Every structure is written in structure tokens, then in C-alpha cells.
Amino acid sequence: MKSVLKDDSSGHDWWHIHRVRKLALLIGKSEDADLFLVELAALLHDIDDWKLVGNMDEKQKAKSWLLSCGIDHQLAERICGVIEGVSFKGAGVNTSTNDLVCRVLQDADRLDAIGAIGIARTFAYGGSRGRGIYDPEIPPELHTDFENYKKSTTPTINHFYEKLLLLKDQMQTKMGRSLAEQRHEYMLRFLDQFYAEWNGEQI
Ligand code: NI
């Protein structure tokens, strides 16, 4: 994964994987999840992500890598099923799951999308897709279907309302909820400061 993602500059680089792996193992332990599955799914969770892979034919990387390592077919399918369920697909699109490993990984991945690191990654991602920072004339949009969410080209600040500020309430583990709380507060403070500076005010 390190060699595949080392040159990414959209916020989905190797260090994102590294942080998600650590968080997923921490949360997984607290939930008594199968840590072997958690760790493998965490390491491979972005290699076939829709944001990074445009070509559907390439959506088999995780599976072929697992098979090439001698992981049996059923287990490889199981891990790919977890990965499939991880991605955020729009404000109104329900991605909650009963699969414990998937819940753990979703929380870990979403925690890395909020707080100070989340802010940095969001602007990096926006820049990589040619999005502006902010445009007060373009209001945020709460996408209820995945196709429209994927096509969205709105400024990066809108992404806070379309995704980042919603993640706290979508956490599915106890530890995820408690870690999300603090990161969420930090984003609210960032936005207050951002608008104050935008308007030339003091906070
Ligand atoms: Ni990720």
C-alpha cells in the first residue's frame, strides 16, 4: 500500500492508511472485533475507492492482491465486502451496517476525515479536483443519491456541511463516538474563525 499510494496528494496517501489502520485496531480491540480482518481491510480500504479509481475494471485490486498472498477465496471476498461498505456516499445515503468489522473500519476512516487532519485532507482533496475554497453564492447541498454526490463540484467549505459535520452522528462504535466529539468541536471552531476572517471581523 505504501508503494501504491506514496505519491498521492489528494489526502488518500499512505499516511491516511497508516492512521486508519492504527485507529481501526484501537476501536476494533475495544469492540472485540476480529483484528486480522480489521487490519487487512484497513490497509486495503482505499485501493479500489470510487474517488480514486475511475475505471471500473480496476476495482479488483484488493481482491487480486489478497489472492496473490494465498488468502483463500472466501476470506478475500469477506474482506472486499467490508471495504465495499466503508465509503461515504452522500448526506442522505444510508451506509450503516450490522457488520462489526465494517462498523469499526467506517468509524476509523471517518475519524480521519474530521478534526484538524480532516480539514487538511478536505482542502487537499478539493484542490486535487480543481475545487475552489469557498463561494458564498453557492450554498451546500445535501445529496440524497450517490450519483449526484459523486458529480458534485462545489467549493470545499460546502463539503463541511455535505459530509464532515454529519459524520459525528453516524459513528457506530462507542469509542468512535467519543473520539468524534472532540474533532467535531474543532471543525466548528475552524468554521467560526474562517467566516470571521472572510468578513474581516475579529472573533
Ligand atoms: Ni480512507
Side-chain angles (χ1 to χ4, degrees):
M1 283 311 295
K2 197 172 184 177
S3 66
V4 173
L5 296 173
K6 67 178 185 334
D7 295 326
D8 175 274
S9 57
S10 76
H12 297 85
D13 55 302
W14 157 250
W15 294 110
H16 163 63
I17 306 297
H18 179 77
R19 293 187 300 268
V20 170
R21 175 199 198 175
K22 275 199 299 190
L23 271 176
L25 285 172
L26 198 70
I27 298 170
K29 212 169 172 187
S30 76
E31 295 282 322
D32 219 4
D34 180 330
L35 296 183
F36 177 71
L37 283 182
V38 166
E39 187 168 25
L40 264 183
L43 282 167
L44 294 167
H45 83 275
D46 268 342
I47 198 165
D48 290 320
D49 193 286
W50 63 267
K51 293 187 290 300
L52 308 172
V53 181
N55 184 348
M56 291 297 279
D57 296 343
E58 284 190 47
K59 293 199 91 172
Q60 292 287 331
K61 281 190 200 152
K63 193 163 167 200
S64 40
W65 186 82
L66 286 165
L67 295 176
S68 78
C69 294
I71 300 272
D72 79 64
H73 208 272
Q74 215 181 344
L75 193 54
E77 287 280 344
R78 167 86 178 92
I79 292 166
C80 292
V82 169
I83 294 169
E84 190 100 334
V86 168
S87 204
F88 182 89
K89 297 182 173 74
V93 184
N94 185 5
T95 50
S96 63
T97 167
N98 289 323
D99 182 331
L100 180 61
V101 176
C102 195
R103 291 160 80 104
V104 165
L105 186 53
Q106 264 187 356
D107 280 12
D109 193 34
R110 290 171 185 191
L111 281 165
D112 205 55
I114 60 178
I117 285 179
I119 294 170
R121 291 183 63 220
T122 302
F123 284 101
Y125 182 71
S128 79
R129 292 292 181 273
R131 297 182 186 191
I133 292 175
Y134 176 49
D135 184 339
E137 288 170 3
I138 304 176
E141 196 187 324
L142 297 179
H143 304 96
T144 49
D145 80 86
F146 185 38
E147 286 309 307
N148 285 332
Y149 176 68
K150 262 197 292 195
K151 278 188 271 178
S152 170
T153 54
T154 53
T156 295
I157 284 287
N158 293 22
H159 201 57
F160 283 79
Y161 304 94
E162 291 163 359
K163 176 180 175 185
L164 308 189
L165 294 171
L166 309 172
L167 294 180
K168 172 177 75 79
D169 293 331
Q170 293 181 9
M171 291 289 146
Q172 302 190 74
T173 64
K174 199 166 166 240
M175 186 180 269
R177 272 189 290 276
S178 105
L179 290 169
E181 203 68 48
Q182 191 199 12
R183 295 179 187 216
H184 182 85
E185 291 307 314
Y186 186 81
M187 291 193 297
L188 293 178
R189 289 207 305 279
F190 169 80
L191 288 169
D192 284 346
Q193 179 77 27
F194 184 93
Y195 295 125
E197 290 179 15
W198 188 275
N199 296 316
E201 292 162 0
Q202 280 228 316
I203 197 162

